C-alpha cells in the first residue's frame, strides 16, 4: 500500500484548520458529529397495554436512541436553518401492538395554524410498505417504493374534544370576530353538513368533500395515517389505523427522557398487522427500516421545510 506524503506545511495546516472550523460550527449548531448509539432501535418486549402517556413509568426502562436530524435540502421548499437537531426514540411491543415514544427539544408550543402567521409542531415516522430488500428513497419514497407515514400533528391534538365539532376554529383564535349573516344558518347556530350536497348550516366545501383536514370526525386520533411514493404524492389513507398522544412539557424532561428543558413527548401506536395493503405490516422478530421528520412551527417549518433523518432500523 502506498502512502501519499507532502512536505507542504501550509497545505497541511489549511486542511487541519478547515476540519477544525467545520467541527466547531457543527458543535455550536448542536449538530451531532457522530452517532454514539447503534443504528438499530430495539423494541422492548412488554406485557399488557402500551401506555399512550409518554410520562408513564413503563417507558423509563425502555432503551432509547438519539436520532440525528438535518435540514431537508433535496427539493423545494428547502429549509437549512432547522431548530430541531435530533429526536430521542424509544420503542416497545406487547406481541399485538408496536408503540414509539418520540421526544425532542422545542422551546415553544405551536398547536394551531388558524392564523396566516402560524405553523404547527409535527413529527412523523416513515416505513417502507415493502420491507424486503433495500428501502426506498428517504424523502417519502419513490415510484414503485411506497412508504407508510404516521404524522402526529399538534393542532389535531388541540382539536381533540374541542366543542361539539371537535375543532379549533377562527372564532376561537380570534374571539373578537364578528359576522353579519351566514346563508341558511339555523337559529341554534352552526351545525355539520350532511355531505349530500345541501348544508345543514353554512356550506363547508372541505367537510362536504370528506377532507380529513376539515372534518375532525374522520380522525381516529392526533395522528394521520398517510401513503407516499415520492415528492408531491402524500395522500391521506381512506382507513386511519394509527393512534397517538402528545404532551408539551415546559419545565423539563421526565425520568428516562433524553433532554432537559422544554420538550415534546409523543407516543404513536398501531397493531402489528392489520391487513391494510397501504400499511407496513410487522411481525415479531423482524427488522424494519424506519425514518423520522420533525417540524418546528415557531421556525416557520411546514411541508418540505423540516428536520429529517436517514433510514434506521426498528428491531421487533
Amino acid at each position: 500500500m502506498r502512502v501519499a506524503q507532502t512536505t507542504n506545511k501550509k497545505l497541511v495546516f489549511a486542511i487541519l484548520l478547515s476540519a477544525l472550523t467545520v467541527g466547531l460550527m457543527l458543535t455550536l449548531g448542536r449538530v451531532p458529529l457522530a452517532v454514539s448509539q447503534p443504528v438499530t432501535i430495539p423494541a422492548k418486549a412488554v406485557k399488557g397495554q402500551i401506555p399512550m402517556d409518554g410520562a408513564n413509568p413503563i417507558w423509563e426502562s425502555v432503551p432509547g436512541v438519539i436520532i440525528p436530524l438535518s435540514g431537508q435540502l433535496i427539493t423545494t421548499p428547502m429549509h437549512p436553518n432547522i431548530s430541531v437537531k435530533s429526536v430521542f426514540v424509544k420503542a416497545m411491543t406487547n406481541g399485538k401492538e408496536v408503540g414509539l415514544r418520540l421526544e425532542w427539544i422545542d422551546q415553544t408550543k405551536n398547536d394551531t395554524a388558524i392564523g396566516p402567521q402560524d405553523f404547527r409542531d409535527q413529527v412523523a415516522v416513515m416505513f417502507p410498505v415493502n420491507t424486503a430488500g433495500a428501502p426506498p428513497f428517504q424523502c417519502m419514497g419513490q415510484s414503485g417504493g411506497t412508504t407508510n407515514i404516521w404524522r402526529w400533528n399538534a393542532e389535531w391534538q388541540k382539536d381533540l374534544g374541542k366543542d361539539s365539532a371537535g375543532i379549533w376554529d377562527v372564532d376561537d383564535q380570534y374571539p373578537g370576530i364578528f359576522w353579519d349573516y351566514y346563508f341558511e344558518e339555523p337559529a341554534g347556530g352552526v351545525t355539520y353538513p350532511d355531505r349530500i350536497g345541501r348544508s345543514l348550516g353554512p356550506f363547508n366545501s372541505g367537510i362536504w368533500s370528506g377532507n380529513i383536514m376539515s372534518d375532525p370526525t374522520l380522525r381516529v386520533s392526533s395522528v394521520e395515517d398517510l401513503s407516499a411514493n415520492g415528492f408531491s404524492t402524500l395522500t391521506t389513507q381512506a382507513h386511519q389505523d394509527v393512534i397517538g398522544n402528545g404532551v408539551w412539557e415546559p419545565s423539563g424532561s421526565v425520568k428516562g427522557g433524553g433532554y432537559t428543558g422544554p420538550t415534546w413527548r409523543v407516543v404513536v401506536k398501531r397493531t402489528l398487522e392489520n391487513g391494510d395493503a397501504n400499511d407496513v405490516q410487522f411481525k415479531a422478530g423482524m427488522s424494519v427500516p424506519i425514518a423520522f421528520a420533525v417540524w418546528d412551527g415557531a421556525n416557520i417549518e411546514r411541508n418540505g421545510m423540516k428536520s429529517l433523518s436517514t433510514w434506521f432500523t426498528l428491531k421487533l
Side-chain angles (χ1 to χ4, degrees):
M1 180 179 67
R2 298 180 61 185
V3 178
Q5 294 181 329
T6 179
T7 58
N8 190 333
K9 294 183 179 180
K10 290 184 178 180
L11 176 61
V12 174
F13 179 76
I15 294 173
L16 292 175
L17 182 60
S18 298
L20 180 62
T21 302
V22 171
L24 180 61
M25 292 174 63
L26 293 173
T27 301
L28 292 176
R30 298 191 338 189
V31 177
L33 298 180
V35 182
S36 58
Q37 292 85 358
V39 295
T40 298
I41 304 167
K44 183 176 181 179
V46 297
K47 295 181 179 180
Q49 292 293 319
I50 295 176
M52 296 304 297
D53 179 10
N56 191 296
I58 295 176
W59 286 104
E60 293 179 14
S61 61
V62 178
V65 176
I66 293 181
I67 304 296
L69 304 173
S70 59
Q72 192 282 118
L73 299 174
I74 299 172
T75 186
T76 55
M78 301 179 185
H79 194 47
N81 300 317
I82 58 171
S83 60
V84 181
K85 303 300 196 304
S86 64
V87 58
F88 186 53
V89 181
K90 292 187 173 188
M92 66 170 69
T93 180
N94 57 10
K96 297 180 179 179
E97 301 170 313
V98 59
L100 297 164
R101 193 186 83 170
L102 313 166
E103 179 185 355
W104 69 96
I105 297 173
D106 194 333
Q107 299 298 324
T108 57
K109 180 181 181 182
N110 305 101
D111 57 0
T112 178
I114 293 292
Q117 73 281 357
D118 298 325
F119 301 93
R120 61 181 76 88
D121 296 329
Q122 302 178 90
V123 65
V125 183
M126 181 175 68
F127 306 93
V129 173
N130 181 7
T131 57
F137 185 45
Q138 70 187 62
C139 290
M140 301 198 301
Q142 65 204 44
S143 178
T146 303
T147 58
N148 182 199
I149 298 173
W150 306 350
R151 183 174 63 185
W152 174 87
N153 184 323
E155 187 174 33
W156 284 21
Q157 186 76 50
K158 183 185 184 72
D159 287 343
L160 290 174
K162 177 67 180 67
D163 301 327
S164 60
I167 192 167
W168 186 262
D169 214 335
V170 177
D171 52 349
D172 297 299
Q173 183 79 1
Y174 302 104
I177 193 174
F178 175 82
W179 59 86
D180 292 317
Y181 176 74
Y182 269 141
F183 177 67
E184 291 185 353
E185 180 173 352
V190 176
T191 57
Y192 260 167
D194 56 10
R195 294 201 196 94
I196 296 174
R198 184 174 179 83
S199 155
L200 300 180
F203 184 76
N204 186 314
S205 57
I207 294 177
W208 182 84
S209 65
N211 188 330
I212 195 172
M213 301 296 289
S214 302
D215 189 346
T217 64
L218 298 177
R219 306 173 190 171
V220 173
S221 72
S222 54
V223 180
E224 187 176 10
D225 195 3
L226 299 137
S227 297
N229 54 5
F231 300 134
S232 304
T233 64
L234 192 64
T235 305
T236 302
Q237 292 189 13
H239 196 269
Q240 296 289 298
D241 301 299
V242 189
I243 62 174
N245 181 61
V247 176
W248 185 72
E249 172 57 59
S251 59
S253 180
V254 296
K255 186 176 180 180
Y259 309 101
T260 58
T263 58
W264 272 111
R265 292 192 309 276
V266 175
V267 176
V268 295
K269 181 172 72 171
R270 207 207 73 187
T271 57
L272 293 182
E273 297 183 82
N274 62 11
D276 190 337
N278 296 308
D279 288 345
V280 60
Q281 303 299 317
F282 304 100
K283 293 182 182 295
M286 74 182 298
S287 295
V288 184
I290 184 172
F292 305 89
V294 177
W295 292 260
D296 180 6
N299 198 34
I300 63 170
E301 295 176 13
R302 73 276 190 195
N303 302 324
M305 302 169 70
K306 59 188 175 183
S307 307
L308 79 165
S309 78
T310 184
W311 288 108
F312 284 74
T313 301
L314 175 65
K315 173 68 175 178
L316 295 174

